[in-house]
Structure formats: structure tokens, C-alpha cells
Amino acid sequence: MRLRVEFTTEPFDLEEAPAHALVAREVVEGAALDTVDVGPFGNTAEGGADAVLAAVDAVLRRTLAAGATRISLQVNVIGEGEG
């Protein structure tokens, strides 16, 4: 199964990227994902189910530890195939 995750971490800071946002970027860019799009107001990544779910777990744990007070995410099934 292939998945797409879209997520944001808060609080926002328009002046400078907060530590939790930098950690989120580090996690998804270092994960075994097929595509990653990191933006100022949201992030998207796609890949096999195992890779996406592992990245989601790491994003949640590490961004909360880095000061995130809210994480919004959505996961969609985008295709079948190896997970």
C-alpha cells in the first residue's frame, strides 16, 4: 500500500523556523520516502506504508520533544503495492 501524509506543526513563527519545524524537515528528508515536499505552512510525503508510518511516528515523537504544541496530520491511501 502507498500512502501520502500531509502535516503541519505549531506554533508558527513567521520570522524564523522554530526548532520543531526544523526537526520535522530533518525527519522526512532522512526517511526512506519516495517524495517529500517541505513548505512553510505544511509538508507532504509519499511512499510505502511502512516508510510513511515510521516517518509519522518519528515526526510525532521528535517534534513534540522539540517544542511543538500541536501537530495536524492527514494520511491518505494513494495506491496499492508494496508497503
Side-chain angles (χ1 to χ4, degrees):
M1 176 183 322
R2 290 189 43 77
L3 302 176
R4 175 185 302 125
V5 61
E6 300 172 57
F7 68 93
T8 58
T9 60
E10 297 178 42
F12 294 114
D13 183 343
L14 298 177
E15 305 277 329
E16 181 178 338
H20 58 81
L22 298 175
V23 166
R25 176 182 295 175
E26 177 184 306
V27 169
V28 294
E29 288 181 344
L33 300 167
D34 297 335
T35 62
V36 173
D37 181 22
V38 176
F41 300 108
N43 308 287
T44 304
E46 295 180 7
D50 291 340
V52 170
L53 295 174
V56 167
D57 178 65
V59 164
L60 293 173
R61 292 176 188 278
R62 293 189 54 201
T63 59
L64 288 169
T69 58
R70 178 178 174 147
I71 304 162
S72 302
L73 67 91
Q74 178 174 302
V75 177
N76 293 299
V77 175
I78 57 171
E80 296 301 319
E82 293 184 29

